[in-house]
């Protein structure tokens, strides 16, 4: 039997508060013009004080389940990707599971930052191909707004991130015709831990070698905030996502001309534009949401998929490539006949 995974539902949730670039000007000593020119971002969403990462995840999960026509009880594996967990432990998947009310189902956190969706999809796909699980819920949820340095010190990073969640429901399917039937053709994931500190959040952390994981001095030094070598990340992102897109096609005997839509991790519109230019892709092939949602880390691709489906841009039977790059470094692809 040729068992493969297919996407049977998607959902997303963006918190109701919209934060425009203008709203950040005084706070971060930045300008709307700088943010738009360097990133393409015009606005992003921020969660309210009483929302958590697992709350955003719950809303996106409910919408994905509704569009799949499955009940929550049908789910037999729950994977949650986040870089902004509710707590240090247990994982956010456990908190989401408690809120969903599906005890007994394995709930696993995937800690692969912007690569989180591709890594989670890859894990889920292996479980489905081996026949271990039939219906898997993947949720990517990020609440950056309460984790950022919202002072001029953090402006390079704080202007690009937004809050939001995206979810997909995968189901096992027997594929007879690989050219026409909906399924995931392949996933491939990569990491390079030697570059871990190019984009990272040092604290709280045992490897800071203080008497505790977090001290007042560490807080004064801002070690609880993410730190990024923006220019290095930018060039790695362009190179690895270009290579991953080509890898997604060639490893399946396909060419660029076969591609019908591409979803890049949405960190900065200039990154997507540079990939498009490298590969001579028509703009219409790249689905972009960074302008209105900012960088929602692991959630950017599932939010983009849901957006494209609900807007009628992504239709059944289309060949799509998803590629991501992020902290770790982690990167990879999935090629899908939607
Ligand atoms: O999702 C995870 C992966 N993350 C990414 O892929 C992000 C990749 N990196 C980027 O998108 C870009 O590097 C940034 C948007 C973060 C920064 O853009 P940049 O063009 O690389 O700027 P830069 O950090 O090299 O800074 C250039 C100048 C500096 O001023 P000087 O030294 O030239 O006078 C910064 O101080 O821009 C200044 N600057 C800002 N000015 C106004 C940095 N951030 C800001 C800001 N507003 N928000």
């Amino acid at each position: 039997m040729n068992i493969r995974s297919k996407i049977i539902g998607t959902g997303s949730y963006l918190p109701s508060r919209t934060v425009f670039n203008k709203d950040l000007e005084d706070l971060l000593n930045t300008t709307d013009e700088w943010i738009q020119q360097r990133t393409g971002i015009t606005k992003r969403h921020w969660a309210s004080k009483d929302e958590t990462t697992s709350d955003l995840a719950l809303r996106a999960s409910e919408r994905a389940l509704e569009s799949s026509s499955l009940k929550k009880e049908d789910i037999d594996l729950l994977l949650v990707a986040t870089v902004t967990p509710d707590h240090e432990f247990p994982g956010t998947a456990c908190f989401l599971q408690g809120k969903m009310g599906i005890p007994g189902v394995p709930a696993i956190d995937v800690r692969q930052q912007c690569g989180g969706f591709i890594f989670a999809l890859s894990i889920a796909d292996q479980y489905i191909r081996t026949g271990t699980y039939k219906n898997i819920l993947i949720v990517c949820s990020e609440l950056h707004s309460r984790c950022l340095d919202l002072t001029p010190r953090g402006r390079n990073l704080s202007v690009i991130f937004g809050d939001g969640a995206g979810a997909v429901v995968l189901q096992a399917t027997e594929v007879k015709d690989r050219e026409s039937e909906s399924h995931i053709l392949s996933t491939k994931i990569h990491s390079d831990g030697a570059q871990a500190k190019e984009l990272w959040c040092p604290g709280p952390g045992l490897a800071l070698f203080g008497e505790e994981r977090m001290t007042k001095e560490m807080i004064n030094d801002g070690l609880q905030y993410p730190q990024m070598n923006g220019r290095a990340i930018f060039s790695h992102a362009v190179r690895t996502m270009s290579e991953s897109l080509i890898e997604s096609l060639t490893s399946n005997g396909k060419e660029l001309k076969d591609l019908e839509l591409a979803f890049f991790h949405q960190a900065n519109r200039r990154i997507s534009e540079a990939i498009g230019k490298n590969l001579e892709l028509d703009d219409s092939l790249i689905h972009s949401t960074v302008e209105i949602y900012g960088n929602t880390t692991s959630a950017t691709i599932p939010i983009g998929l849901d957006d494209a489906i609900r807007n009628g841009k992504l239709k059944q039977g289309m060949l799509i490539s998803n590629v991501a790059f992020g902290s770790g470094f982690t990167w990879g692809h999935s090629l899908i006949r939607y």
Side-chain angles (χ1 to χ4, degrees), residues 28-31 34-35 38-39 114 155-157 159-161 199 228-231 233-234 237 265-268 270-271 295 297 325-327:
L28 301 178
N29 185 23
T30 186
T31 62
W34 190 97
I35 301 171
R38 301 287 181 124
T39 70
C114 302
R155 67 179 182 173
N156 68 323
L157 219 130
V159 295
I160 66 174
F161 288 103
L199 173 51
M228 174 170 78
N229 178 353
R231 288 191 182 181
I233 296 289
F234 193 105
H265 164 56
Q266 304 280 294
N268 181 332
R270 282 166 51 223
I271 294 178
N295 178 351
T297 318
F325 167 83
S327 159

Side-chain angles (χ1 to χ4, degrees), residues 14-28:
L14 283 307
S16 60
R17 181 177 169 202
T18 304
V19 176
F20 293 90
N21 292 344
K22 281 263 173 224
D23 301 327
L24 300 177
E25 287 187 338
D26 292 342
L27 196 63
L28 301 178

Side-chain angles (χ1 to χ4, degrees), residues 53-55 57-58 78-82 85-110 139:
T53 299
S54 58
D55 290 330
L58 180 64
L78 175 60
L79 292 169
V80 173
T82 185
D86 279 6
H87 298 282
E88 286 226 329
F89 73 86
T92 305
C94 291
F95 289 105
L96 173 63
Q97 179 180 32
K99 288 176 182 175
M100 288 181 74
I102 46 171
V105 170
I108 305 175
D109 269 38
V110 176
V139 198

